Amino acid sequence: MIYELIIKILFILLKIVAIVGPLIIAVAYLTFMERKIIGYMQVRIGPNRVGPKGLLQPFADTIKLLLKEIILPTNANKFLFLIAPVLSIGPAIAAWAVIPFWADSQNVPVALTNIDASLLYILALTSIGVYGVIIAGWASNSKYAFLGAMRSAAQIVSYEIAMGFALVGVLMAAHSINLGQIVQQQAGGIWHWFWLPLLPLFVIYLVSGVAETNRAPFDVAEGESEIVAGFHVEYSGVTFAVFFLAEYANIILISMLTALMFMGGWLSPFEGIPVLEKAFAWVPGIAWLLAKTAFFMFCFLWFRATFPRYRYDQIMRLGWKVFIPITIIWLLLLGAAIVAKIPPWFSGQ
Amino acid sequence: MLLMSALMVVSARNTIHSALFLVLAFFTCAALWILLRAEFLAIALVLVYVGAVMVLFLFVVMMLNLNTDLLREGFIRHLPLGILIAIAIVAEMFLALNSGGFRMLDQAALKAVDVPGYSNTRALGSVLYTKYLYAFEIAAVILLLAMVSAITLTMRRLKGTRHQNPAKQVKVMRADRLRIVKMQAEPKGDSND
């Protein structure tokens, strides 16, 4: 009995390592890709010194950050100052517990825990990630950090509403709040995926995701030219690295969620097309999911290289006065479409 | 844990700390709900109270920069009244929970939960939108009313404030901002004097 329990716990721990390990490697190489891609977009070369073609650059960066000293600002609240990075990385990693990666031979989604309310769970966890930012800004005892935290809090709270409404559209279309079932509802090739019937919600979700992770062009929380580096000005060494890790883990999470909810997750895009379906049948589901995720991650970097930073009042206007009305109107239209059973998306329900 | 963090909310010296202890109290409350197999309520609690309400609370508390000494002065003076209210609330809750409704629910609910494939979220949704639809909608309208009245109470249009018109800003053309002036070139040698 005890023996079985230990084996079970060890197995779960192994699964967690199997998810978090690749995630951290992906974060390291996402930072590298970011510098390379933005470099190429701006006609530069990007990092190319450490290792072949600069491929060992992320390790050099990590080792440098780990060896640096952690500096506590005077009069900073020591406990809160040190726990803030933990509070931002915790939810960013915990949300991965419910992400399904592929379906096994019985068409059951494979995830660490396949809970019923997984969409709500993710929404709840992404919303508590903001505490890391707020507490970091307040505990640093610095005006720049405080301003960054305030901006970030206002921004995240306002975009969360639009994001939540976009998710309501997804769960209405899928008739489920389980991520695995949402993907299975999209079966039947590229035209059956939810990006088409939910096009406005798809765009809003992606843009809100960019705003929620405080990435350019919505990166006023860090706004180098105005408030130095925002909420993490006072952080150095490992504590800064943890904030960095959380931000990039969130980017990958949002990209993967977009792929799962609007782009058919692990389903092949050639389903239902006679020749291509057979030709690509050997590709495992996770490869499709990772390819789609990689595309959205590339979009994040692309946005950063392309758009200038939004003005603060424009960010708030976009969130409250543009996105929320559009999502509400689309939800009404979607309800009508579901009642009318418009094929091919809503005919089978 | 819940009681301890709730106690710390009122006794913490720093207002930010008490707000953070309130977050902890919500979390432990959500954990209790998970133990009662009400995962939807637990997640909704974290989502709404921790994710949105407390962020705004912290926002306001941080902005106001309250004077903590002034707040502590009243603590002892108001203590008897506070204890009285606490006793009244505890008594009320005891009476309400001891009445028939909750006891009956206790046994029946536990049996229903033990069925495999039971989904708390689905069950709650199906009851909320059929049996209790009327009460649900009244609650929604009351909340809307509270929101509208709070906004009308606080919204004052000050005279002389300037507003931006985004539509106008988008439509602006080069000709509106820029004027190209043709000038005679300065004769050579004069400019560097």
Side-chain angles (χ1 to χ4, degrees), chain B residues 149-161:
Chain B
S149 48
I151 291 172
T152 45
L153 277 178
T154 51
M155 195 172 73
R156 261 174 257 145
R157 281 221 178 270
L158 289 175
K159 269 180 198 162
T161 49

Side-chain angles (χ1 to χ4, degrees), chain A residues 77 80 116-117 120-121 123-124 127-128 130-131 134-135 138 146 150 153-154 157 160 177 311 313-314 317, chain B residues 14 16-17 20 23 27 39-40 43 46-47 50-51 54-56 58-59 62-63 119 121-122 164 166 169:
Chain A
N77 190 317
L80 287 180
D116 207 39
L120 275 173
Y121 171 82
L123 201 59
S127 69
I128 57 179
V130 65
Y131 278 97
I134 299 182
I135 291 173
W138 184 77
F146 186 65
M150 288 289 111
V157 167
E160 212 173 69
I177 47 173
R311 212 171 61 201
D313 65 311
Q314 286 175 334
R317 189 173 166 271
Chain B
N14 193 320
I16 304 277
H17 288 177
L20 289 175
V23 174
F27 259 112
E39 81 271 5
F40 179 79
I43 293 175
V46 171
L47 181 62
V50 179
M54 284 315 294
V55 172
L56 292 178
L58 269 180
F59 194 95
M62 284 175 178
M63 290 293 256
S119 162
T121 317
R122 197 174 289 272
Q164 294 186 341
Q169 288 180 346

Side-chain angles (χ1 to χ4, degrees), chain A residues 12-30 58-59 62 89 92-94 96-97 101 112 245 248-249 252 256 290:
Chain A
I12 291 174
L13 281 179
L14 217 64
K15 277 203 231 170
I16 292 174
V17 170
I19 293 173
V20 175
L23 177 66
I24 288 175
I25 299 289
V27 166
Y29 275 93
L30 181 60
F59 293 102
T62 318
I89 189 99
I93 288 180
W96 285 83
F101 293 100
L112 179 61
L245 196 66
Y248 283 84
I252 300 176
M256 194 166 266
L290 291 182

